[in-house]
Amino acid sequence: MGSLTIPSSFSSHTSFLNQRRSRLPAKRAHLLRRLISCQTLSEELHCSEIFTNTNTNTNTDSKDEAAMKIDRRKMLMIGLGGSLQGATGVARQAIGYPIQAPDFSHCQTASEGPKLVNCCLPLSSSPIIEFKRPSILSPLRVRPAAQFVGKEYLKKYRKAVELMRALPPDDPRSFATQAKIHCAYCNSAFDQGGLPGMELQVHNSWLFLPFHRCYIYFHERILGNLIGDPTFGLPFWNWDSPAGMRLPAFYDEVDTSLYDPLRDPKHRKHAVVDLDHSLIDDPLSDSQQIYQNLKMMYRVVMTNGKTPELFMGMPFRAGDNPNPGAGSLELLPHGAVHLWTGDRAQPFIENMGTFYSAARDPIFYAHHSNIDRMWSVWQKHVAKKTINFNDADWLETAFLLYDENARLVRIKVKDCLDTTWLRYTYQDVRNPWLNARPTPKVRRSKAKAAAEAAAAANKEKTIFPLTLSSPVSTTVKRPRVRRSKEEKKTEVEVLVVDGILAVKEKPVKFDVYVNAPNDFGRLGPEASEFAGCFLNPQAGHDTRHRYTLRLNITELVDEIGADGDGTITVTLVPRTYTENLEIGALWIEFLST
């Protein structure tokens, strides 16, 4: 990705009409080839809907056709910047354009497996407000590391959450509504703006980081406003640093506004967080767990952060099916910390362990505050001059959220690329994992021989698609070997695990290793052979969709001394609820940095 400086008035919508190919499912794409022709007249859109199947050999599904028809009244609510500028703007519907904010008046029952949840949000009679950046003269909020906060800060923080909890449930600023926001955007309560039947999902794509940044930003402003403190900043749970790798004690004090009873009892009192948690407590000492956490953080940010797609997630445009692919930060440590905190005794590891209820726990906001900080750390240490995605479809994606005055605000990704634009920053803390590069578990010759033997033994079991009921090793061809340093700098080698399908309505996790020895039980994220993992709290909740995992193996191949090898042995190790988990294919591709 090239470098990009985003001006505050970024408003170009025409240059990207020819930049992106359609990513609509084939059955829906043919219905949209000649979808709509419109013109703007007196601020109203007069549209004629044209659904023409240009392929006479294709049988049109009437349900699909009906789902894609767009009510004219809804057409008034969509478009770039709130209105469609002529037929050119409308044509983006057929080929993918920035996802527009949902219509809160069209909310459906959310689901968590078989569980149905009402996550619909309060409606407002007031017009939607377009987001404006705070003045540079407004107070700068400093978010503190949870392990360093003092008594005065805690007194204010507890009071703010107490007041938020005391608000009526239908108040947009209430804790109940704040929790519902995450459920609504993450559990199929909303369709994409202007596209009925096309699910809006902010996880498993490039929307993950910007949505949560905007969401936490308004949540923080509401808290500050309730206590009359414009300088109030949320704490961040500093789980990536040894000093912060425990559940902050003040969240575990009963009868306070920050307490949640639905947390794992084994992790409440001084346990070191496992950033690779698989719902099983590994028998590691505190020092061993900290060591493993730091190594894993290096792999997540420094190794898999070499491109925006790998770190932040894959593109998700209007008309696309959700879940195109999560970035490394969303998988680990984000997902692992959610599972580690939630109560394993609950059906879906509530509260933190699943999307619909996660934001009911106050620690959710401290967790995501640190996730947001990781985005800033990545920008500084890895992305450097590259500002995320140089893609207008990403920059113009919009969300609707409530501000501190209970007003509904439309905010776009382009508005939140820098925390200073939003007038907040983070307490300066060390990031000890920046140089914690993993090391090979065994010598190259021994590892390669063992890996090849495992692949040969598994040959009959590795016909794709395969069911991952036990560890499986297979040989994957590398299209290019012995690349120069310059080639590796401009393109990364990516291992793709495609067609991941889970049918069990539980969190799914499996690890991925390259040229690994046979003793997988003792091999963890501290080893160079660990490429990464797939982890999704809701992977099995929608059996219609398959997931894709992408992992940068450029550094890994160098670390284990396999850069000259024409093949590598990839081992997939099931960890959590992988019964009947299906894997479609494995291959290697290259992504430009």
Side-chain angles (χ1 to χ4, degrees):
M1 297 292 172
S3 61
L4 176 67
T5 301
I6 308 299
S8 59
S9 59
F10 183 90
S11 60
S12 173
H13 308 308
T14 57
S15 63
F16 52 88
L17 287 174
N18 297 318
Q19 291 179 2
R20 303 295 172 190
R21 296 191 302 273
S22 172
R23 287 175 171 78
L24 287 171
K27 188 177 287 187
R28 296 176 186 271
H30 76 263
L31 297 174
L32 291 174
R33 288 192 181 112
R34 297 180 59 203
L35 176 60
I36 301 171
S37 63
C38 294
Q39 60 182 2
T40 303
L41 179 62
S42 300
E43 306 220 0
E44 291 187 1
L45 297 173
H46 299 272
C47 304
S48 60
E49 297 169 315
I50 305 172
F51 293 86
T52 303
N53 180 2
T54 57
N55 183 352
T56 57
N57 294 321
T58 301
N59 293 321
T60 301
D61 188 316
S62 60
K63 292 182 180 179
D64 279 350
E65 182 171 354
M68 295 310 298
K69 289 189 177 181
I70 299 174
D71 189 285
R72 289 175 182 169
R73 289 169 296 177
K74 290 183 181 179
M75 286 300 297
L76 297 176
M77 304 178 65
I78 69 173
L80 301 171
S83 63
L84 293 172
Q85 301 300 318
T88 305
V90 177
R92 290 291 290 164
Q93 280 202 91
I95 59 174
Y97 65 84
I99 289 177
Q100 300 305 291
D103 177 1
F104 279 19
S105 68
H106 289 74
C107 177
Q108 54 217 13
T109 303
S111 62
E112 184 71 22
K115 184 181 181 70
L116 299 180
V117 188
N118 179 7
C119 293
C120 295
L121 302 172
L123 299 177
S124 174
S125 58
S126 302
I128 295 172
I129 296 172
E130 299 298 329
F131 178 78
K132 292 183 179 179
R133 292 182 196 168
S135 166
I136 59 172
L137 300 178
S138 59
L140 181 68
R141 302 168 186 264
V142 179
R143 295 183 179 177
Q147 70 269 25
F148 296 135
V149 299
K151 291 182 179 180
E152 287 303 312
Y153 173 86
L154 278 178
K155 183 178 179 180
K156 289 195 299 184
Y157 183 28
R158 290 190 185 108
K159 186 62 177 178
V161 178
E162 179 183 323
L163 292 172
M164 182 181 274
R165 286 186 181 276
L167 293 171
D170 59 351
D171 189 316
R173 304 166 301 157
S174 71
F175 194 83
T177 296
Q178 291 293 297
K180 280 186 174 183
I181 291 172
H182 190 259
C183 174
Y185 274 95
C186 309
N187 285 77
S188 308
F190 292 141
D191 291 331
Q192 299 170 29
L195 291 175
M198 298 303 296
E199 178 187 343
L200 174 59
Q201 169 61 262
V202 295
H203 290 85
N204 300 304
S205 77
W206 65 5
L207 299 188
F208 171 70
L209 287 172
F211 168 80
H212 286 86
R213 172 170 286 182
C214 296
Y215 173 36
I216 298 296
Y217 165 76
F218 285 114
H219 181 85
E220 176 180 71
R221 290 183 67 91
I222 293 170
L223 290 173
N225 190 60
L226 288 172
I227 57 174
D229 184 357
T231 68
F232 176 79
L234 275 167
F236 62 92
W237 182 5
N238 193 196
W239 34 248
D240 59 300
S241 177
M245 286 183 185
R246 289 173 172 81
L247 185 77
F250 57 82
Y251 284 101
D252 206 28
E253 296 176 1
V254 182
D255 297 328
T256 69
S257 62
L258 302 178
Y259 180 77
D260 188 326
L262 296 184
R263 296 186 189 134
D264 195 316
K266 293 184 178 181
H267 300 156
R268 302 189 80 103
K269 301 294 183 181
H270 310 299
V272 175
V273 65
D274 179 4
L275 300 184
D276 183 41
H277 188 56
S278 302
L279 295 178
I280 297 174
D281 293 318
D282 293 329
L284 300 178
S285 67
D286 287 358
S287 60
Q288 288 174 326
Q289 186 65 70
I290 290 170
Y291 176 80
Q292 180 173 285
N293 286 344
L294 296 177
K295 296 288 185 177
M296 195 215 70
M297 285 301 303
Y298 180 94
R299 187 63 89 206
V300 167
V301 182
M302 304 305 289
T303 300
N304 277 309
K306 289 298 190 291
T307 77
E309 296 95 333
L310 293 173
F311 183 72
M312 301 179 68
M314 297 301 290
F316 181 31
R317 311 176 199 278
D320 287 357
N321 277 326
N323 308 305
S328 60
L329 184 66
E330 182 178 357
L331 298 169
L332 296 177
H334 164 258
V337 173
H338 270 284
L339 294 181
W340 187 88
T341 308
D343 186 355
R344 279 177 284 188
Q346 302 305 311
F348 297 104
I349 318 178
E350 288 95 328
N351 274 327
M352 273 282 282
T354 192
F355 290 166
Y356 89 93
S357 62
R360 297 176 183 177
D361 187 338
I363 205 170
F364 168 93
Y365 304 94
H367 173 41
H368 272 276
S369 186
N370 201 41
I371 289 291
D372 182 70
R373 188 180 71 89
M374 289 297 103
W375 184 6
S376 297
V377 173
W378 173 76
Q379 287 174 316
K380 178 180 179 181
H381 293 281
V382 184
K384 296 180 180 178
K385 293 182 180 180
T386 300
I387 300 182
N388 310 300
F389 290 95
N390 184 358
D391 192 308
D393 286 353
W394 184 66
L395 297 167
E396 292 291 336
T397 294
F399 314 111
L400 288 181
L401 296 163
Y402 302 107
D403 71 3
E404 63 272 24
N405 297 309
R407 301 174 301 183
L408 205 52
V409 179
R410 188 190 340 264
I411 185 170
K412 297 184 177 181
V413 171
K414 68 180 182 182
D415 297 320
C416 71
L417 300 184
D418 191 317
T419 64
T420 61
W421 295 354
L422 304 177
R423 299 302 295 156
Y424 75 88
T425 189
Y426 288 95
Q427 179 181 358
D428 191 20
V429 295
R430 291 180 60 249
N431 299 299
W433 45 266
L434 285 173
N435 298 308
R437 189 167 180 164
T439 54
K441 193 72 173 179
V442 296
R443 290 180 300 179
R444 177 183 182 273
S445 57
K446 182 179 178 181
K448 184 173 175 57
E452 289 176 344
N458 278 273
K459 191 171 183 180
E460 293 183 358
K461 296 194 299 181
T462 55
I463 299 175
F464 292 94
L466 58 81
T467 300
L468 191 63
S469 56
S470 61
V472 171
S473 297
T474 187
T475 300
V476 178
K477 183 179 180 180
R478 298 178 63 217
R480 293 150 61 186
V481 300
R482 293 192 177 90
R483 294 190 299 145
S484 67
K485 289 184 178 180
E486 187 59 32
E487 288 176 315
K488 293 176 183 178
K489 187 177 179 180
T490 57
E491 275 191 323
V492 293
E493 184 174 1
V494 177
L495 175 64
V496 181
V497 185
D498 193 38
I500 302 168
L501 178 63
V503 298
K504 195 174 182 67
E505 292 168 343
K506 293 288 185 180
V508 171
K509 182 178 185 293
F510 64 86
D511 293 342
V512 183
Y513 297 92
V514 174
N515 287 7
N518 292 327
D519 190 0
F520 306 115
R522 297 176 57 191
L523 198 64
E526 76 282 356
S528 291
E529 293 86 352
F530 177 78
C533 85
F534 175 85
L535 191 161
N536 192 321
Q538 293 189 315
H541 294 190
D542 185 356
T543 57
R544 298 168 300 172
H545 185 71
R546 291 178 180 268
Y547 293 82
T548 301
L549 173 66
R550 290 175 174 83
L551 300 167
N552 177 18
I553 61 170
T554 309
E555 285 187 3
L556 183 157
V557 168
D558 284 339
E559 291 165 7
I560 65 176
D563 186 45
D565 297 345
T567 62
I568 55 173
T569 299
V570 175
T571 302
L572 308 178
V573 182
R575 297 297 188 191
T576 304
Y577 293 115
T578 56
E579 300 91 341
N580 301 316
L581 176 69
E582 188 174 288
I583 307 295
L586 295 175
W587 71 81
I588 288 174
E589 64 185 21
F590 295 85
L591 283 178
S592 299
T593 57

